[in-house]
Every structure is written in structure tokens, then in C-alpha cells.
Amino acid sequence: MKILLIFISVFAVNTKVEQASSNVYARSYVVMEQNSGKILESKDCNLQRSVASVSKIMTAILAIESDSLFNAVTVGNEINTIVGSSLYLEEGTKVNVIELVYGLLLRSGNDAAVTIAKNVGGTIDDFVVMMNNKAKEIGMKNTIFSNPSGLDMYDNGNLSTSYDLALLMRYCMSNQTFREINKTQTFKSSVKGTWSNKHKLIQNYEYAIGGKTGYTKKAKRTLITSARKDDLELVVVTLDCGSDFAFHKAKFEQYFANYAYLTFLNKGTNYILNYEIVVDKEYGIMIENSKIKNATKHYQINPKNNEVKMRLILEDNTSIEVGKVKANSFKIC
């Protein structure tokens, strides 16, 4: 049996160090690496509390994954019970569900949330069941959804944790349609003018690629942000953090300055020497910049069983296991 070993050199990158502000209070937070789902840093990340409008990303992803996304729907009397953040939709207005998703994510429209819920779920109550079923599917073990908006003045609202919300955002960011909508800075509505994204980092931070704001008196400020620099993509979630935008940016700057993400296999087709390897997801590793110098990517390819083992060999000849994968297809070019 022939096993092929391949070595690819890795070049060092900037190792400038920047620390996140240590005097910003957050009741609960988590920093997660997007590709692996690994927690890089956290505080009370399993503490369950009301999470306000950041829960709307669940409403959005259910709409995006539904068969109704491009359907035109009629705004009903469900909007008459809505308070707080609104798109100011009028009963009887016809609008496409995808436009409601833009209004939901950019402007946090509670009227958009209930209109989506009624038209995607059949009833709002049935849509809430869909939300909780999806939460279980994703692995959100400490989450209970009560409504599609996150309002909590009549009940406990939507209860979750910073860790569960990071899992949800990671899942949502694996959907290209969600990514495109969520990173939008402004959107020209067909029914209510132009909508600007409320998330300040999406507007002002060059590496921000998605996120959602939230606030109620019970939940306090809640915030989710995704950011990407080069190949390193992170998710930060804070619950009850007064200076949340500054906190998120500081965390991103800290990790972007000190870490890099090395991709070993891209999702889809890869060419390594004379081999074509097809995999259904990306494989790589997050590593400190200080360890990258003279590091080498190592692939052990077994053509007999389509298996690829990956590890990173460091300058001191120690190695870090990246993982192994059985390729979907595997052939000599």
C-alpha cells in the first residue's frame, strides 16, 4: 500500500500584540472560532438569561431555509400587538419574505418578526415550535424560545446563553444567503424607504461581516458580531455589556493580531500535487502567530481508503494534529 507524504511550508505573519480592554464589564460573553466552533475565551457562557433581539437571527435563518423566502405575503393584524423596534409596516401591505428578513436583521423590526412567523410557520405558536426544534438540532441546550422577536415585557422572553447564541450564529454564517443579508449596510425597501443596519461594527469596522443588536430593560444590551481577517473568522457574543461595540472590536483586534488560521483543505475540490481531493467542509487550524515561523503543513494521503491525515510540524519538530478526513472523492490528476 502506497502512502504519500506531502510537506508545504508556511510563512510567518505579523506578530504585533494588541490586548482587549480589561475594564469593560460583560455579564456573560464568549469568543468562538467559526470553523471549528472552539471557545477561545468566555465568562459565564452557560448562564441563561433573556437575550432580547439577538434571538431574531433564529427567526431569520428559519425564513431563509424555508420554501417561503421569495414569496409575497400580506401583512396581517398580528402587527397590531407589536411594541418597540418596528419597520412601521401597515396591515394589508404586500411584501416579499426576503425583504422582511432584511428589515428583521438590519432594523430589528418586531413587526417583521411576527409577519415572518405567521407566514413561515402557519401560526406564530407553530413558528415558536420550529424555533425550539431548530435550537435542539444545532445543540443549543440551554435555550428556550417563546416568541420570534425577543420581547420580554409580558413573559421571560427568549432565554439563552452566550455560548448557545455563538453556536446559532456559527450555524447561520454557514448559510451564504444569511451572510449576504446580514452584512448589508443599507437596503432600499420597496415599502418603507431605505434601511440602515443598526449594528455599528458592520457600518464602521472593516472586518465585521455580520451580527445582531438587542436591548430590553430585562436583558440589557445584547450583541452578536462575526468578523473575518484573512482566513481567521470569529464570533463574539456579549450579554449585558454596556460598552459592547468597543468590547467586540477589542476582542477581534486582540485575536487577529496574535493568531492566524491555516487552511489545509477547502470545502470542495483541492489539488495537492497530483491528487484531486474533494471534501464537504473546510479543514484547518487556528494557531498563534509566534508558532508559524518555519512551520510545515503535513499531509499523509492513503489512496486505498481515500483518507487524508493532516498535521502542522513546527520549527522545533513538534507537531499539532489537525485531523483526518475520508474524502468524498479522490483521484490522481
Side-chain angles (χ1 to χ4, degrees):
M1 177 178 64
K2 179 182 178 182
I3 296 179
L4 180 66
L5 301 180
I6 299 173
F7 297 87
I8 300 175
S9 296
V10 178
F11 297 98
V13 296
N14 180 20
T15 58
K16 179 184 176 183
V17 176
E18 292 187 24
Q19 295 298 324
S21 174
S22 60
N23 58 357
V24 176
Y25 170 85
R27 181 66 186 87
S28 169
Y29 78 89
V30 65
V31 181
M32 179 179 286
E33 195 267 306
Q34 170 71 25
N35 185 65
S36 66
K38 178 180 179 182
I39 298 178
L40 306 178
E41 184 180 338
S42 68
K43 172 189 174 184
D44 291 337
C45 67
N46 292 313
L47 175 68
Q48 188 187 64
R49 54 183 289 120
S50 178
V51 297
S53 287
V54 293
S55 54
K56 287 188 174 87
I57 66 173
M58 175 62 88
T59 304
I61 195 64
L62 287 175
I64 290 168
E65 292 181 343
S66 76
D67 296 329
S68 305
L69 184 61
F70 298 103
N71 290 354
V73 299
T74 301
V75 178
N77 61 9
E78 63 275 1
I79 65 170
N80 296 332
T81 61
I82 284 303
V83 297
S85 181
S86 179
L87 302 180
Y88 304 101
L89 298 173
E90 297 175 4
E91 188 175 342
T93 300
K94 288 191 174 181
V95 59
N96 288 336
V97 172
I98 191 170
E99 186 164 340
L100 292 173
V101 176
Y102 274 97
L104 183 75
L105 292 178
L106 273 63
R107 299 302 301 168
S108 201
N110 293 324
D111 47 358
V114 294
T115 304
I116 289 170
K118 180 180 177 182
N119 286 278
V120 172
T123 68
I124 293 176
D125 287 343
D126 286 343
F127 187 81
V128 171
V129 172
M130 292 171 61
M131 296 174 77
N132 285 302
N133 287 341
K134 193 68 176 183
K136 291 178 182 177
E137 176 189 325
I138 294 171
M140 301 170 69
K141 297 180 179 180
N142 293 302
T143 296
I144 302 171
F145 288 107
S146 300
N147 61 67
S149 66
L151 291 173
D152 58 13
M153 62 278 296
Y154 305 121
D155 52 34
N156 289 327
N158 294 330
L159 301 177
S160 190
T161 69
S162 57
Y163 174 70
D164 278 8
L165 290 170
L167 287 180
L168 175 58
M169 188 61 174
R170 179 179 178 237
Y171 175 84
C172 291
M173 291 298 283
S174 70
N175 183 291
Q176 192 58 40
T177 301
F178 181 93
R179 275 182 176 262
E180 289 300 318
I181 296 173
N182 199 209
K183 73 179 183 181
T184 301
Q185 293 182 339
T186 58
F187 176 80
K188 186 172 177 55
S189 165
S190 67
V191 293
K192 282 291 178 180
T194 299
W195 298 329
S196 296
N197 201 315
K198 286 185 174 183
H199 199 304
K200 292 181 181 180
L201 295 184
I202 294 176
Q203 296 286 6
N204 302 314
Y205 182 51
E206 62 179 317
Y207 302 120
I209 57 173
K212 183 71 190 73
T213 60
Y215 174 80
T216 65
K217 290 182 179 179
K218 185 179 294 184
K220 307 302 182 185
R221 292 178 65 91
T222 61
L223 187 67
I224 299 174
T225 314
S226 288
R228 182 182 182 96
K229 183 178 181 182
D230 300 324
D231 289 332
L232 179 56
E233 185 170 331
L234 305 174
V235 178
V236 177
V237 179
T238 49
L239 303 180
D240 186 8
C241 178
S243 300
D244 46 12
F245 291 114
F247 183 87
H248 284 222
K249 183 177 179 180
K251 289 298 178 187
F252 288 130
E253 291 294 291
Q254 174 188 343
Y255 282 96
F256 288 155
N258 291 286
Y259 291 84
Y261 183 83
L262 300 179
T263 301
F264 277 70
L265 291 173
N266 292 301
K267 180 179 179 181
T269 304
N270 298 265
Y271 295 97
I272 300 176
L273 290 185
N274 60 332
Y275 285 88
E276 180 185 281
I277 303 169
V278 179
V279 292
D280 58 7
K281 70 174 187 176
E282 181 178 305
Y283 291 86
I285 185 173
M286 180 177 170
I287 185 170
E288 295 172 74
N289 286 339
S290 59
K291 295 182 179 180
I292 292 178
K293 183 180 179 182
N294 296 326
T296 306
K297 293 180 182 179
H298 176 277
Y299 299 84
Q300 182 175 320
I301 298 174
N302 188 338
K304 185 175 181 179
N305 63 6
N306 288 6
E307 186 177 82
V308 182
K309 294 181 179 180
M310 299 160 287
R311 60 194 174 105
L312 185 68
I313 300 177
L314 305 179
E315 186 177 28
D316 62 2
N317 288 322
T318 60
S319 65
I320 301 173
E321 297 296 326
V322 177
K324 64 181 178 179
V325 58
K326 196 173 184 68
N328 295 348
S329 67
F330 190 96
K331 65 181 180 181
I332 297 176
C333 300

